[in-house]
Amino acid sequence: MSGSPLKVDTKTRLHIEVKGIVQGVGFRPFVYRLAKNCHLNGWVRNTSGNVTIEVEGAEEAVSQFLTLLKEKAPPTAHVQDIVTRKLPGKGDIGFEIRESQPEPDKYQPVSPDLATCPECLAEVFDPENRRHLYPFTNCTNCGPRFTIIRDIPYDRPLTTMSRFTMCPECQAEYDDPLDRRFHAQPNACPKCGPSLQLTDAEGIPLSSADPLQKAAELLRQGYIVAVKGLGGFQLACDATSHEAVARLRERKRRPGKPFALMMASIAEIERHCHVSPEEAGLLLSPNAPILLLKWRQDTSDVTPLVAENNKYLGVMLPYTPLHHILLRYAARPLVMTSGNLSEEPICQNNDEALHRLHGIADYFLRHNRDIHARYDDSVYLVERSTSRAIRRARGYAPTPIPLPFKARQVLACGAEEKNTFCLTRDEYAFLSQHIGDMDNEETMAHFEHTIDLYQKLFRIQPEIIAYDLHPEYLSTKYALKYAAEKGLKTVVVQHHHAHIVSCLAENDYREPVIGVAFDGVGYGSDGNLWGGEFLVGDWSDFERAAHLEYVPMPGGAAAIRRPYRMALGYIYSLLGPKTSLDGLPLMSKIPADEVNVVTIQLERRLNSPLTSGAGRLFDAVSALAGVRGQVDYEAQAAIELEMLAPDDVTHFEPYPFTISENENPAVIKLRELISAVVHDVRNGIEPSEVSARFHRTMAEMILETCRLISRQSSLKTVALSGGVFQNRLLLNLAIGMLEKEGFQVLSHRLVPCNDGGIALGQAVIASYKANDSKE
């Protein structure tokens, strides 16, 4: 709370400005009730920049009001600051809620969409309630927010609910400050609100008294139903049916990547998965993300085809009344995956879904409330009792990441895969929802539209454009074009520096650190493809202190899709071209003519860029161990290698490696490691043991290299970032071993450690450099 200490007379009048997420969360009715309880007069209103309050009354009552204003705020509100100013008394009688006041240059954070609250859920399943089984029930504590807002302040005319005129009963709730639906902008009921329609694959409506009950019946029969949710369409099918899931995989062109599931209750989830108290709390929170949970495969009737070769299921609870009703009718777990072809953005509107999902969905369950912003489901995991973002979208974005400095207005365009962008202003970093992989026109259009929306909502006109060093990223090309058209300053940011700074920013840590950035590939300052990096740096600059040994990637991107190529690259470059490949299981999976092609590429260095990527090393070991030679989705080889390892690998002996300290930067030599893996595989050592030893090795490698850098730099803080740290086993090992050695370890919680967090680091670096240049 800012402002000077209050010294007030018997009667006090205060002007109060409340900043944070305080619109669309029931804050004004809360203020109204609080003022009434404290016997204060005055008013409250929304503005484009905050919630403004004036109260007048006894000094003690005003003091109590200020204390409770922050302590008792609605659970989904986030009060960042309260600024007060003393005014002369005006003699108001009563307390009122005034009309919102638009302000051209003002802005404030916007609430994310929120999962159905217990009160609304009780109404939905109460046969005596007028909203019984109404799929669009909501109040000020739950329901759509970000996906329906066109502009601020958050009032119904500026949302996609503007087309629905409230009936007298809904209007009475909306106008009653003591009702929990007071100024609930999406407020509606069966008489006056959005409605459902079930159609066939051609968009022809089906005659049904209850579209949800009919959709559930179709799902039980094995059909695929496209369901219009909060931020777009989802594809649903019976998760216990091998045939239904196989059909969805074939039609969606998603042969291997795990599907997310929706289950009706915590009790049902616990029948299929192990659930800790922290995990249960996150599932039941208003954010309601998909959560990666340990699978009880021995008792679950979910088909293994949902997540093959995986210990975990991605599970969420229903988060809208529509989902709650559908799951109750279906009476079984449902696959609930993004409504798209693989790698395309989620379908947003009805006509688009009929076109793009034609041939995938058998039926469409759609409604007539427009979606203004596409919004995928968020994905989280809980590790070391801490929730950690894997994909940040519904329930979280566009909530800003707080910054401990006043930022310039920066647009950071993010990376190529798992793209998000970031806009900064004042003490806020507005990291976008998950956009996706920037490899098609649809995703690029989604990227551009969402940038426009964020600029409008948060009144940001970028003065600096930040982008990745990789010249071929579409996000980089967009950034350079945008900056050239508008004559703006640009800041290029090295990929792994951005990774580390994103971790520092969310942990509010501004001192130099040892940054461990492990991922697949990112363009390096020397023109090679980095990814196994140890940096010494802070928010403005970095030095490369050490890295994994360079090896060629035969065929470039082909080596990512076919990890056996990486395995051959490691063998050829580290063990020598004459090394025998006999006795290696991967050889049975490689076409003979391809071995010859790869050999020629390696001999002549044809399309074989050098990489230090930790992700590529995981791929190579997975292929060598016979786990996965070709992948259907990103990191599949590494994930399946991790899944084979036992939960505790501390008693396994690590593979040997050496650190060449006399080089600058130091190089972690991998010849002995690869030789030992090849030896184990040839001698019939089980892949699970190879995996255990390898994970132990990577953790030892992190520890030993950080020890070396610490001796040279006296640094004792380590930041871990990059997609490889989605690997729970490695993350746990690394944190535990580093902390035991006396290091302070910073890791991700609020933003993904993968490329979904890159934009935050880019924005902070660009803003920090710009601020430095001004001083």
Coordinates of all heavy atoms in Angstrom, one line a residue, residues 412-452:
A412 N 8.3 -8.6 -27.6 CA 9.3 -9.7 -27.8 C 8.5 -10.8 -28.5 O 7.5 -11.3 -28.1 CB 9.8 -10.2 -26.5
C413 N 9.1 -11.3 -29.7 CA 8.3 -12.1 -30.6 C 8.5 -13.6 -30.4 O 7.9 -14.4 -31.0 CB 8.7 -11.7 -32.0 SG 8.2 -10.1 -32.5
G414 N 9.4 -14.0 -29.4 CA 9.4 -15.4 -29.0 C 10.2 -16.3 -30.0 O 11.0 -15.8 -30.8
A415 N 10.0 -17.6 -29.9 CA 10.7 -18.6 -30.6 C 9.9 -19.2 -31.7 O 8.7 -18.7 -32.0 CB 11.2 -19.6 -29.7
E416 N 10.4 -20.2 -32.4 CA 9.7 -20.8 -33.5 C 8.7 -21.9 -33.0 O 7.6 -22.0 -33.5 CB 10.7 -21.4 -34.4 CG 10.1 -22.0 -35.7 CD 9.9 -20.9 -36.8 OE1 10.0 -19.7 -36.5 OE2 9.6 -21.3 -37.9
E417 N 9.1 -22.7 -32.0 CA 8.3 -23.7 -31.5 C 7.7 -23.3 -30.2 O 8.3 -22.5 -29.4 CB 9.1 -25.0 -31.3 CG 9.5 -25.6 -32.7 CD 10.3 -26.9 -32.5 OE1 10.7 -27.3 -31.4 OE2 10.4 -27.6 -33.5
K418 N 6.5 -23.8 -29.9 CA 5.8 -23.4 -28.6 C 5.7 -21.9 -28.4 O 5.9 -21.4 -27.3 CB 6.4 -24.1 -27.4 CG 6.4 -25.6 -27.5 CD 7.1 -26.2 -26.3 CE 7.0 -27.7 -26.2 NZ 7.6 -28.4 -27.4
N419 N 5.5 -21.2 -29.5 CA 5.6 -19.8 -29.5 C 4.6 -19.1 -28.5 O 3.5 -19.5 -28.4 CB 5.4 -19.2 -30.9 CG 5.5 -17.7 -30.9 OD1 4.5 -17.0 -30.7 ND2 6.6 -17.2 -31.1
T420 N 5.2 -18.2 -27.8 CA 4.4 -17.1 -27.1 C 5.1 -15.8 -27.5 O 6.3 -15.8 -27.8 CB 4.3 -17.3 -25.6 OG1 5.7 -17.2 -25.1 CG2 3.7 -18.6 -25.2
F421 N 4.4 -14.7 -27.3 CA 5.1 -13.4 -27.4 C 4.9 -12.7 -26.1 O 4.1 -13.2 -25.2 CB 4.5 -12.6 -28.6 CG 3.1 -12.2 -28.4 CD1 2.6 -11.1 -27.6 CD2 2.1 -13.0 -29.0 CE1 1.3 -10.8 -27.5 CE2 0.7 -12.7 -28.9 CZ 0.3 -11.6 -28.1
C422 N 5.6 -11.6 -25.9 CA 5.5 -10.9 -24.6 C 5.5 -9.4 -24.9 O 6.3 -8.9 -25.7 CB 6.7 -11.2 -23.7 SG 6.6 -10.5 -22.1
L423 N 4.6 -8.7 -24.3 CA 4.5 -7.2 -24.3 C 4.8 -6.7 -22.9 O 4.2 -7.2 -22.0 CB 3.2 -6.7 -24.9 CG 3.0 -6.9 -26.4 CD1 1.5 -6.9 -26.7 CD2 3.6 -5.7 -27.1
T424 N 5.6 -5.7 -22.8 CA 5.9 -5.1 -21.5 C 5.4 -3.7 -21.4 O 5.5 -2.9 -22.4 CB 7.4 -5.2 -21.1 OG1 8.2 -4.6 -22.1 CG2 7.8 -6.7 -21.0
R425 N 5.0 -3.3 -20.2 CA 4.7 -1.9 -19.9 C 4.7 -1.7 -18.4 O 4.2 -2.5 -17.7 CB 3.3 -1.5 -20.5 CG 2.9 -0.1 -20.2 CD 1.6 0.3 -20.8 NE 1.3 1.7 -20.4 CZ 0.2 2.4 -20.8 NH1 -0.6 1.8 -21.7 NH2 0.0 3.6 -20.4
D426 N 5.3 -0.7 -18.0 CA 5.4 -0.4 -16.5 C 6.0 -1.6 -15.8 O 7.1 -2.1 -16.2 CB 4.1 0.0 -16.0 CG 3.5 1.3 -16.7 OD1 4.3 2.1 -17.1 OD2 2.3 1.3 -16.9
E427 N 5.3 -2.1 -14.8 CA 5.9 -3.2 -14.0 C 5.3 -4.5 -14.5 O 5.3 -5.5 -13.7 CB 5.6 -3.0 -12.5 CG 6.4 -1.8 -11.9 CD 5.7 -0.5 -12.1 OE1 4.5 -0.5 -12.4 OE2 6.4 0.5 -12.1
Y428 N 4.7 -4.6 -15.7 CA 4.0 -5.8 -16.1 C 4.7 -6.4 -17.4 O 5.1 -5.7 -18.3 CB 2.6 -5.5 -16.5 CG 1.7 -5.1 -15.4 CD1 0.9 -3.9 -15.4 CD2 1.6 -5.9 -14.2 CE1 0.0 -3.6 -14.4 CE2 0.7 -5.5 -13.2 CZ 0.0 -4.4 -13.3 OH -0.9 -4.1 -12.3
A429 N 4.8 -7.7 -17.4 CA 5.1 -8.5 -18.6 C 3.9 -9.3 -19.0 O 3.6 -10.2 -18.3 CB 6.4 -9.3 -18.4
F430 N 3.3 -8.9 -20.1 CA 2.1 -9.7 -20.6 C 2.5 -10.8 -21.5 O 2.7 -10.5 -22.7 CB 1.1 -8.7 -21.3 CG 0.5 -7.7 -20.3 CD1 1.1 -6.4 -20.2 CD2 -0.6 -8.0 -19.5 CE1 0.6 -5.4 -19.4 CE2 -1.1 -7.0 -18.7 CZ -0.5 -5.8 -18.6
L431 N 2.8 -11.9 -20.9 CA 3.2 -13.1 -21.7 C 1.9 -13.7 -22.3 O 1.0 -14.0 -21.6 CB 3.9 -14.1 -20.9 CG 4.5 -15.3 -21.6 CD1 5.6 -14.9 -22.5 CD2 5.0 -16.3 -20.6
S432 N 1.9 -13.9 -23.6 CA 0.6 -14.3 -24.3 C 0.3 -15.8 -23.9 O 1.2 -16.5 -23.4 CB 0.8 -14.2 -25.8 OG 1.6 -15.3 -26.3
Q433 N -0.9 -16.2 -24.2 CA -1.2 -17.6 -24.2 C -0.4 -18.4 -25.2 O 0.1 -17.8 -26.1 CB -2.7 -17.8 -24.4 CG -3.2 -17.6 -25.8 CD -3.7 -16.2 -26.0 OE1 -3.2 -15.2 -25.4 NE2 -4.7 -16.0 -26.9
H434 N -0.3 -19.7 -25.1 CA 0.3 -20.5 -26.0 C -0.2 -20.3 -27.4 O -1.4 -20.3 -27.7 CB 0.1 -22.0 -25.7 CG 0.5 -23.0 -26.7 ND1 1.8 -23.4 -26.8 CD2 -0.2 -23.7 -27.6 CE1 1.9 -24.3 -27.8 NE2 0.7 -24.5 -28.3
I435 N 0.7 -19.9 -28.4 CA 0.3 -19.7 -29.8 C 0.5 -21.0 -30.6 O -0.3 -21.4 -31.4 CB 1.2 -18.6 -30.4 CG1 0.9 -17.3 -29.6 CG2 0.8 -18.4 -31.9 CD1 -0.5 -16.7 -29.6
G436 N 1.7 -21.6 -30.4 CA 1.9 -22.9 -31.2 C 3.2 -22.8 -32.0 O 4.0 -21.9 -31.8
D437 N 3.4 -23.8 -32.8 CA 4.6 -23.9 -33.6 C 4.4 -23.1 -34.9 O 3.4 -23.2 -35.6 CB 4.9 -25.3 -34.0 CG 5.3 -26.2 -32.8 OD1 5.6 -25.6 -31.8 OD2 5.4 -27.4 -33.0
M438 N 5.4 -22.2 -35.2 CA 5.2 -21.2 -36.2 C 5.6 -21.8 -37.6 O 6.6 -21.3 -38.2 CB 6.0 -19.9 -35.9 CG 5.7 -19.3 -34.6 SD 4.3 -18.3 -34.6 CE 4.9 -16.8 -35.4
D439 N 4.9 -22.8 -38.0 CA 5.2 -23.4 -39.3 C 4.1 -23.5 -40.3 O 4.1 -24.3 -41.2 CB 5.8 -24.8 -39.0 CG 4.9 -25.7 -38.2 OD1 3.7 -25.3 -38.0 OD2 5.3 -26.8 -37.9
N440 N 3.0 -22.7 -40.0 CA 1.9 -22.7 -41.0 C 1.2 -21.3 -41.0 O 1.4 -20.6 -40.0 CB 0.9 -23.8 -40.8 CG 0.4 -23.8 -39.4 OD1 -0.4 -22.9 -39.0 ND2 0.8 -24.8 -38.5
E441 N 0.5 -21.0 -42.0 CA -0.2 -19.7 -42.1 C -1.2 -19.5 -41.0 O -1.4 -18.4 -40.6 CB -0.9 -19.6 -43.5 CG 0.1 -19.5 -44.7 CD -0.6 -19.4 -46.0 OE1 -1.9 -19.2 -46.0 OE2 0.0 -19.5 -47.1
E442 N -1.9 -20.6 -40.6 CA -3.0 -20.4 -39.6 C -2.4 -19.9 -38.3 O -2.9 -19.1 -37.6 CB -3.7 -21.7 -39.4 CG -4.5 -22.2 -40.6 CD -3.7 -22.9 -41.7 OE1 -2.5 -23.1 -41.5 OE2 -4.4 -23.4 -42.6
T443 N -1.2 -20.5 -37.9 CA -0.6 -20.1 -36.6 C 0.0 -18.7 -36.7 O -0.1 -17.9 -35.8 CB 0.6 -21.1 -36.3 OG1 0.0 -22.4 -36.3 CG2 1.1 -20.8 -34.9
M444 N 0.5 -18.4 -37.9 CA 1.0 -17.0 -38.1 C -0.1 -16.0 -37.9 O 0.0 -14.9 -37.3 CB 1.7 -16.9 -39.4 CG 2.6 -15.6 -39.6 SD 4.0 -15.7 -38.5 CE 4.4 -14.0 -38.4
A445 N -1.3 -16.3 -38.5 CA -2.4 -15.4 -38.4 C -2.9 -15.3 -37.0 O -3.2 -14.2 -36.5 CB -3.6 -15.9 -39.3
H446 N -2.9 -16.4 -36.2 CA -3.3 -16.4 -34.8 C -2.3 -15.5 -34.0 O -2.7 -14.7 -33.2 CB -3.2 -17.8 -34.3 CG -3.5 -18.0 -32.9 ND1 -4.2 -17.2 -32.1 CD2 -3.0 -19.0 -32.0 CE1 -4.2 -17.6 -30.8 NE2 -3.5 -18.7 -30.8
F447 N -1.0 -15.6 -34.3 CA 0.1 -14.8 -33.7 C -0.2 -13.4 -33.9 O -0.2 -12.6 -32.9 CB 1.4 -15.3 -34.3 CG 2.6 -14.5 -33.9 CD1 3.2 -14.7 -32.7 CD2 3.2 -13.6 -34.8 CE1 4.4 -14.0 -32.3 CE2 4.4 -12.9 -34.5 CZ 4.9 -13.1 -33.3
E448 N -0.4 -12.9 -35.1 CA -0.6 -11.5 -35.4 C -1.9 -11.0 -34.8 O -1.9 -9.9 -34.3 CB -0.6 -11.3 -37.0 CG 0.7 -11.7 -37.6 CD 0.7 -11.5 -39.1 OE1 -0.3 -11.1 -39.7 OE2 1.7 -11.8 -39.8
H449 N -3.0 -11.8 -34.9 CA -4.2 -11.3 -34.3 C -4.1 -11.1 -32.8 O -4.6 -10.1 -32.2 CB -5.4 -12.3 -34.6 CG -6.6 -12.0 -33.8 ND1 -7.5 -11.1 -34.2 CD2 -7.1 -12.6 -32.7 CE1 -8.5 -11.1 -33.3 NE2 -8.3 -12.0 -32.4
T450 N -3.4 -12.0 -32.1 CA -3.3 -11.9 -30.7 C -2.4 -10.8 -30.3 O -2.6 -10.2 -29.2 CB -2.8 -13.3 -30.1 OG1 -3.6 -14.4 -30.7 CG2 -3.0 -13.3 -28.6
I451 N -1.3 -10.5 -31.0 CA -0.5 -9.3 -30.7 C -1.4 -8.1 -30.8 O -1.3 -7.2 -29.9 CB 0.7 -9.3 -31.7 CG1 1.7 -10.3 -31.4 CG2 1.3 -7.9 -31.7 CD1 2.9 -10.4 -32.4
D452 N -2.2 -8.0 -31.9 CA -3.1 -6.8 -32.0 C -4.0 -6.7 -30.8 O -4.3 -5.6 -30.3 CB -3.9 -6.9 -33.3 CG -3.1 -6.8 -34.5 OD1 -1.9 -6.3 -34.4 OD2 -3.5 -7.1 -35.6

